[in-house]
């Protein structure tokens, strides 16, 4: 990093990165629904790009597990069944529990500052009782949590899992906790980091994920 106040180049995303982000967002918000087939010509026209960058972007999402290639048929958005939904939260628990452990042995102060800001955004969304804004703020909080661990690989893995989480919630909105409960769950996580209580933090993050699984199970016939 340069001297304080010194101008530095702004990182620019490649076309492939931008298109990957667009497709990922469309899957996350349900514009590209589970099971939807991706037509190359149509998507290239809608995005105003050539097929080369689009193909590369779609292959990135295949590698991430958000798209699946079916022989002789093409590319499709993944469909999550009940087992997949539980697996998403179990995988998130493994990643976020390790992120919490790393936070506690590294820079708790920075994590608390960043997470407090994310919590404020969640509080604002909860006051409006806006489900989409709450989901956005919830996701942003957990992205910051994993990012604060200082592990780019944990962060990369968590990113795809959080997109899959949104796909789960889009289909199962009735399982989302009450706004006040959601805020309180996240506030307790920040408090545990701030208080330096690692054991309590690890218990809380496990409860946070397993409670989500239990809510999803409660919706089954």
């Amino acid at each position: 990093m340069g001297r304080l106040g010194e101008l530095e180049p702004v990182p620019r995303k490649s076309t492939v990165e931008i298109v990957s982000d667009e497709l990922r967002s469309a899957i996350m918000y349900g514009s590209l629904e589970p099971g939807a087939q991706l037509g190359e010509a149509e998507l290239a026209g809608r995005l105003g790009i050539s097929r080369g960058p689009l193909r590369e972007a779609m292959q990135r999402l295949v590698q991430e597990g958000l798209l699946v290639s079916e022989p002789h048929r093409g590319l499709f958005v993944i469909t999550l069944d009940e087992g997949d939904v539980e697996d998403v939260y179990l995988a998130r628990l493994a990643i976020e529990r390790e992120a919490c452990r790393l936070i506690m042995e590294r820079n708790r102060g920075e994590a608390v500052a960043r997470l407090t800001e994310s919590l404020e955004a969640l509080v604002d969304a909860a006051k409006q009782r806006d489900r989409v804004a709450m989901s956005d703020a919830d996701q942003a909080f957990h992205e910051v949590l994993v990012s604060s661990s200082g592990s780019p690989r944990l962060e990369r893995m968590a990113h795809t899992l959080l997109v899959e989480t949104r796909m789960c919630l889009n289909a199962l909105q009735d399982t989302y906790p009450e706004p006040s409960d959601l805020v309180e769950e996240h506030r307790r996580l920040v408090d545990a980091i701030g208080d330096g209580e690692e054991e309590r933090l690890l218990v809380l993050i496990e409860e946070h994920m397993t409670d989500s699984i239990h809510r999803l199970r409660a919706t089954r016939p």
Side-chain angles (χ1 to χ4, degrees):
M1 189 168 67
R3 294 189 301 274
L4 188 63
E6 185 176 310
L7 294 175
E8 296 181 9
V10 176
R12 287 186 294 179
K13 288 188 173 182
S14 68
T15 300
V16 173
E17 288 174 318
I18 293 169
V19 175
S20 297
D21 288 345
E22 286 283 321
L23 293 176
R24 205 178 286 110
S25 180
I27 292 170
M28 183 171 73
Y29 287 104
S31 299
L32 289 172
E33 297 180 349
Q37 185 172 12
L38 274 64
E40 239 181 59
E42 181 203 358
L43 278 176
R46 284 170 61 184
L47 293 167
I49 59 170
S50 64
R51 294 195 188 189
L54 176 60
R55 284 196 195 106
E56 190 174 336
M58 290 194 296
Q59 284 307 311
R60 284 193 182 190
L61 268 63
V62 169
Q63 291 168 359
E64 291 176 16
L66 296 175
L67 296 178
V68 61
S69 177
E70 297 189 8
H72 312 299
R73 294 192 64 210
L75 292 176
F76 295 81
V77 178
I78 60 166
T79 300
L80 300 175
D81 62 23
E82 292 172 352
D84 291 322
V85 171
E86 288 197 18
D87 196 46
V88 165
Y89 281 96
L90 290 173
R92 279 188 57 189
L93 172 57
I95 289 169
E96 296 193 31
R97 183 165 46 201
E98 181 61 16
C100 286
R101 193 189 65 76
L102 290 172
I103 284 170
M104 298 306 273
E105 72 176 33
R106 292 178 177 174
N107 193 345
R108 287 193 299 115
E110 181 184 341
V112 169
R114 294 178 64 194
L115 288 168
T116 298
E117 187 175 338
S118 296
L119 181 63
E120 288 169 359
L122 183 58
V123 169
D124 289 342
K127 285 178 181 176
Q128 303 299 319
R129 300 187 72 86
D130 182 331
R131 292 278 181 172
V132 174
M134 285 166 57
S135 294
D136 284 343
D138 187 353
Q139 178 171 341
F141 180 98
H142 287 275
E143 285 176 344
V144 169
L145 178 72
V146 179
S147 171
S148 297
S149 72
S151 169
R153 288 169 182 79
L154 285 180
E155 191 173 0
R156 188 168 63 232
M157 289 187 288
H159 189 60
T160 299
L161 288 168
L162 286 165
V163 174
E164 291 183 305
T165 300
R166 292 299 291 274
M167 294 174 70
C168 300
L169 294 175
N170 289 341
L172 299 164
Q173 280 291 341
D174 291 342
T175 70
Y176 216 55
E178 280 297 305
S180 58
D181 294 338
L182 187 68
V183 169
E184 187 56 31
E185 284 181 26
H186 290 79
R187 192 186 304 281
R188 285 198 291 264
L189 291 170
V190 179
D191 288 345
I193 296 171
D195 294 341
E197 296 192 12
E198 180 173 338
E199 188 174 339
R200 176 158 63 100
L201 175 62
L202 296 179
V203 168
L204 288 171
I205 197 67
E206 181 160 358
E207 288 177 349
H208 189 63
M209 298 301 167
T210 55
D211 285 352
S212 297
I213 292 173
H214 292 152
R215 281 195 294 268
L216 292 167
R217 283 177 178 163
T219 66
R220 295 177 184 173

